[in-house]
Amino acid sequence: MPHPAPDVIHRSVPSPAGRIHLVEQGTGPLVLLVHGFPESWYSWRGQLPVLAAAGYRAAAVDVRGYGRSSKPGQTDAYRMLELVEDNAAVVHALGERSAVIVGHDWGSAIAANSALVRPDVFTAVGLLSVPYAPRGGPRPSEIFARMGGEEEFYVSYFQEPGRAEAEIEPDVRGWLAGLYAALSADTMPGPGTPDPHFVGRGGTLRDRFPAGRLPAWLGEDDLDIYAGEFERTGMSGPLARYRNMDRDWEDLAGFDGAPVTQPSLFIGGGLDASTTWLADAIEAYPTTLPGLVSSHVLDGCGHWIQQERPDEVNRILTGWLASLPA
């Protein structure tokens, strides 16, 4: 996988969070890259040099609560509208008026809502792994509580402050290795094995993670970088994103059912539960993403899409960027 060149720039810029740390490479139109859980700017290491070589200024942020970005102490400081304003502040702090925004996992939802709420700043949006689904229906907590029968869905498991932290923080590196493996195409549990998205009664998520082998995209040095970030910062800031889903549902009531109309792109993994569970959301794209330029599901790919299949994602991403109006 390509890695950022030595001339990448690390900087921290002011935002409503306090500061947002980012890593940028290249010159040209700004492309803002937003990671998901549990990751960091480093998730885009395979995209930064390729986007720079294609004539773009690529900037990968640490979302608030992660890495070197500010970590507010209040749970409600991690609501979606706050993250949207962080992204807009980054664009302006970099001296730009607008940007294309691309996100993966939670970053996909953050990117979609950034385009929805701040169309004055975000002119196009790329969504990786998690499809866009407009705000609507029952409260998210009610939906997730009904999933899994006697088992507990991971989003529900994450709700109580301190509970998931107690599982993860004693062995951050081991937990991350297990989660990354559980959702990667080459190491995920096979058919007929317990689903790692659910927790058995009295159990933990880690109980269902595969052990002993890293996915091909993840070297020991890469894992050290990820683990080092969370060992330093803890997990409460990242987990707070899950703990604001009902607040987001309330905050975004004015956007109920709203489409994202800017030029858009979707790339999902064929083996990713985010793609299969949300197949109806993908089918609804003619209504919910009327500006969709192209949609791709990569056969045999898991959840960590831009790291599992960097060359393919880079080809699709740079082709889409080249198609956008100047």
Side-chain angles (χ1 to χ4, degrees), residues 227-249:
E229 296 286 76
F230 294 107
E231 287 167 351
R232 185 175 66 252
T233 64
M235 300 301 299
S236 292
L239 287 164
R241 177 82 290 277
Y242 293 91
R243 296 166 184 163
N244 277 281
M245 299 179 77
D246 282 353
R247 289 188 185 95
D248 297 339
W249 183 83

Side-chain angles (χ1 to χ4, degrees), residues 26 48-56:
L48 287 165
V50 174
L51 293 177
Y56 298 95

Side-chain angles (χ1 to χ4, degrees), residues 204-229:
T204 65
L205 277 169
R206 188 173 187 158
D207 296 339
R208 298 182 176 184
F209 292 169
R213 187 161 69 96
L214 295 182
W217 61 267
L218 185 69
E220 296 283 353
D221 56 340
D222 301 316
L223 181 58
D224 285 341
I225 290 172
Y226 280 126
E229 296 286 76

